[in-house]
Amino acid sequence: MGYLRGALMSLALALGCSLGGAAWAADSPKSDAEDLVFKGDAKCTSCHDAEDSPELLRISKTHHGGVGRAQGKLSCVSCHGESDRHLKKPDGQERPKPDRVFGHKGAYLSADERSKPCLECHAGDRHLAFWESGRHKKNDVSCDNCHTMHEPARSQLRKENPTISPYTTTSRQLQYETCTQCHKQIRSQLLKTSHHPIIEGKLDCSSCHNPHGALSHAMIKEESVNQLCTTCHADKRGPFMNEHPPVEENCLTCHNSHGSSHGKLLSERAPNLCQDCHDWSRHPGSYYSGNQGFAGAQNTRLVARSCLNCHNQVHGSNAPAMRGKFFLR
Ligand code: HEC
Ligand code: HEC
Ligand code: HEC
Ligand code: HEC
Ligand code: HEC
Ligand code: HEC
Ligand code: HEC
Ligand code: HEC
Ligand code: HEC
Ligand code: HEC
């Protein structure tokens, strides 16, 4: 609407004629205007009012419009800048933009410039401690790439072009939808048959990552992959009487973190998975040679769960003697 009027205005000016008095009045600040959301916002909301752009005023329903307003320091200019040139449009010229515009419309500003006002208030937040060294900041991702400010939303997360997702049973906005706008390859992993239940809303990307940056590999929330996995899968932490070295080393030797087309998030199917390290010739041949099946039929010991038919304690075992040593059931 505002746009349309802007366009009409410039058209009218270009043609050298004038629009009706009402349109002119609406495009210059009203002197008797009152604040609508924030202290001192009248200098902006005199034009950007409920009639012009009601969606902008929904900012009153966000934390900024609540706690932020109550603290009395936040106003339109905290984010958009004092914008004097925008306020004092020179006659006959197009209205200059405010100091800062966000979203795609602000793409002409560098990512750092768009994050700057946010950091003026939020730099001290604990979860932003590693923002500067994080992969997002270093790759020109700015606060407003993930956060929207005028529309109330969970953690103010931005979601463009909402799509119909599989497994959606609620209308709750899920965080991963913000992330997979850019991380398309992760989205395709989430759609594989075995996946962490992120689409189902039981886990968020931020259950494992700090999107604001972390010193760890892939910005995960713990120092190592195993520490991360065992915060939730504590039964795999050990120590076990009989440890399986790759498990202690890195869960991702055998598992994918987001999704896999093999069951249980496995990176490969058994027996191949096991045979990457255990040369088949080391195993007593009788366990899976061709003629060991019932009444001389084909051996069935490697079907179905393959090596796991017998070695089902692959994460480590506390069972005594041979059963434990060889991770047998
Ligand atoms: C005299 C009227 C007027 C005042 C006062 C005013 N604006 Fe605007 N503003 C406009 C017009 C006209 C546009 C362009 C059409 C539109 O998008 O509504 C605009 C556009 C904008 C845009 C979008 C820019 C873009 O490129 O899409 C932002 C952001 C903005 N104004 C912020 C502010 C802020 C912050 C203040 C207060 C400091 C303010 N405005 C005060 C008239 C005004
Ligand atoms: C906490 C920061 C913040 C505050 C405070 C804020 N804005 Fe914004 N504003 C944004 C961001 C970010 C966008 C980009 C759109 C979005 O993500 O919601 C935006 C977008 C806009 C737009 C352009 C909308 C469009 O068409 O894309 C206008 C106009 C605007 N703001 C005006 C205002 C006015 C008027 C106020 C005060 C009532 C205000 N803003 C307060 C951050 C803020
Ligand atoms: C003038 C100070 C100020 C500025 C500037 C500011 N914020 Fe805030 N922000 C606050 C306050 C105060 C709160 C509410 C208290 C809290 O939740 O910590 C808040 C809350 C938030 C929240 C939490 C919302 C929720 O649902 O929990 C997010 C996200 C956020 N701000 C992001 C931003 C972004 C992005 C920008 C820049 C576009 C920004 N802020 C600019 C002061 C500010
Ligand atoms: C890559 C996406 C992304 C970027 C970039 C990003 N955030 Fe966030 N932010 C999130 C997510 C996701 C959450 C919710 C985290 C959670 O629920 O644990 C969040 C939460 C927040 C919160 C609320 C924390 C709380 O207590 O719940 C604030 C404040 C915040 N962000 C500020 C910022 C600021 C300031 C910037 C820029 C310096 C920024 N964010 C950049 C994704 C992002
Ligand atoms: C605006 C696009 C964008 C959005 C939205 C976004 N990211 Fe990113 N992300 C990037 C870019 C660019 C990089 C750096 C290049 C790369 O490593 O792929 C990156 C890197 C990462 C990395 C580090 C990868 C590594 O190899 O170290 C993680 C983890 C990550 N993002 C998680 C998230 C999460 C979680 C969210 C949602 C809260 C999110 N991203 C939202 C663009 C985005
Ligand atoms: C269960 C924990 C967990 C969850 C939930 C999770 N990740 Fe990851 N993610 C990891 C781990 C661990 C790595 C490191 C992988 C590696 O080193 O191979 C990783 C790596 C990444 C990378 C960089 C490497 C790559 O594969 O491209 C990106 C980007 C990423 N994750 C984004 C996301 C996004 C987006 C979400 C939400 C949709 C998400 N992650 C959810 C654990 C998780
Ligand atoms: C924040 C908690 C959390 C973290 C951290 C976590 N997981 Fe999970 N994991 C889950 C949940 C929840 C499920 C689903 C359990 C269910 O459906 O019963 C799951 C399921 C699994 C499954 C079984 C998948 C299937 O198809 O049945 C595997 C394997 C797994 N996780 C491995 C890992 C690995 C490896 C890591 C570390 C990269 C990890 N998890 C980190 C919560 C977590
Ligand atoms: C040597 C390969 C290997 C390594 C390393 C490994 N796993 Fe597994 N994991 C498996 C196999 C094989 C299965 C399937 C077991 C089955 O179907 O009985 C599995 C199943 C799982 C399951 C789902 C079934 C269950 O038992 O709960 C979880 C959760 C899991 N692993 C977590 C982990 C975690 C956490 C780590 C790291 C501490 C890890 N895994 C390291 C091979 C491995
Ligand atoms: C990344 C390499 C790796 C993978 C993959 C792997 N293992 Fe192991 N495994 C080892 C190492 C190293 C040892 C301990 C050294 C040894 O004694 O051979 C071991 C020990 C064992 C043992 C005890 C043998 C002994 O002599 O003490 C069994 C049984 C075993 N693994 C079964 C499996 C099964 C079943 C799988 C597939 C689910 C598997 N392993 C996948 C590396 C691996
Ligand atoms: C029918 C049950 C069974 C199946 C199937 C099976 N194993 Fe075993 N495995 C055993 C038993 C029992 C032992 C104990 C050692 C012995 O009897 O010599 C053993 C021992 C081992 C050992 C330690 C001894 C050695 O030779 O290093 C490894 C490693 C091993 N198995 C890996 C595997 C792998 C990999 C597979 C899948 C390709 C597999 N096993 C399939 C029952 C089985």
Side-chain angles (χ1 to χ4, degrees), residues 115 118-119 122-123 125 127-128 131 136-137 141-147 154-155 157 175 178-179 183 204 206-207 209 211-212 219 221:
S115 296
C118 317
L119 287 167
H122 289 288
D125 294 9
H127 55 92
L128 278 157
W131 171 253
H136 281 135
K137 155 88 165 62
V141 178
S142 56
C143 314
D144 63 325
N145 281 141
C146 291
H147 293 288
R154 183 182 163 210
S155 297
L157 288 177
Q175 183 199 87
T178 298
C179 312
H183 295 288
D204 285 324
S206 68
S207 307
H209 295 285
H212 298 131
M219 307 199 297
K221 282 175 128 178

Side-chain angles (χ1 to χ4, degrees), residues 226 229-230 233-238 240 243 247-248 251 255 315:
N226 278 34
C229 308
T230 55
H233 301 290
D235 60 318
K236 307 287 188 287
R237 183 188 283 129
F240 297 104
E243 307 266 10
V247 177
E248 283 175 277
C251 309
H255 293 286
H315 299 102

